[in-house]
Amino acid sequence: MSAKIQVIFYSAYGHVYRLAESVAQGAREVGTEVELLQVAETLPREILEKMGAVEAKTAFDHVPIADPKRLVEADAIILGSPTRYGSATAQMQAFLDATGGLWSSGALIGKVGSAFTSTASQHGGQETTLLAMSTFFFHMGMVIAGVPYSTAELLYLDEVSGGTPYGSSTIAGPRGERQPTANELAIARAQGRHVAQIAVKLAAK
């Protein structure tokens, strides 16, 4: 039996989008049906222009906007967001805040949840952001999956790299100048595969 995976992200400068693509790629390798979706932007265009984010966001303008009500259709939900002081962005939080009806009906109980992130610096809150995002999964009664240490790239020390057992990650740099590395993208693919494998097993029950 196959499973349906929703990879849902917020990205301002494209770093989390690139991770999301790799997460989705890994999930597809398991033979699952994968949707790549983004949460709605809450900032006005003039603010995005001042941030220098408008041009970067054109790279994923084609990605559909996620609908909180459609989370119930997925067997696994993988969320990606940059950090904001050790937690998810306001855009991602607004999306999650719109899921009260799913919580009250228990619609997501037993589904798989996982998260990935980006930070400006090497120790900029990656793990706290992933753990903070996981509280959504706990409250929804979901099964939480991260990245197992069978993923050799987690232990690669020859270069600075994101990647945690709580979820994949990348280091964007203080000006967003650093793009996800091959090692970081490999961890993201491993996360997608791992989540999809679990989702398939649970869907078969």
Side-chain angles (χ1 to χ4, degrees), residues 37-170:
L37 305 162
Q38 62 175 314
V39 301
E41 181 59 79
T42 60
L43 293 174
R45 183 178 177 86
E46 55 268 26
I47 298 298
L48 293 172
E49 288 175 346
K50 290 180 180 179
M51 292 168 54
V54 171
E55 183 176 353
K57 289 175 78 68
T58 60
F60 47 93
D61 274 349
H62 63 284
V63 178
I65 300 297
D67 181 351
K69 296 177 183 176
R70 290 194 58 233
L71 291 178
V72 69
E73 300 172 11
D75 297 297
I77 299 161
I78 311 176
L79 302 176
S81 171
T83 187
R84 290 296 183 270
Y85 308 116
S87 191
T89 60
Q91 292 86 346
M92 178 59 72
Q93 195 59 56
F95 176 80
L96 299 180
D97 286 347
T99 61
L102 300 179
W103 171 80
S104 62
S105 66
L108 303 186
I109 292 174
K111 298 181 184 294
V112 185
S114 195
F116 57 99
T117 190
S118 72
T119 58
S121 62
Q122 188 174 1
H123 303 290
Q126 293 188 0
E127 293 180 345
T128 59
T129 300
L130 295 170
L131 290 171
M133 291 173 70
S134 293
T135 61
F136 169 76
F137 305 134
F138 280 117
H139 280 267
M140 288 293 182
M142 299 173 69
V143 177
I144 299 177
V147 183
Y149 272 106
S150 56
T151 304
E153 289 83 0
L154 284 176
L155 299 172
Y156 184 66
L157 300 177
D158 289 354
E159 64 183 25
V160 173
S161 179
T164 84
Y166 311 110
S168 58
S169 60
T170 187

Side-chain angles (χ1 to χ4, degrees), residues 5-26:
I5 315 290
Q6 291 184 12
V7 180
I8 302 173
F9 70 93
Y10 173 77
S11 189
Y13 299 102
H15 302 84
V16 174
Y17 166 59
R18 289 202 60 200
L19 283 184
E21 285 187 309
S22 290
V23 170
Q25 179 184 350

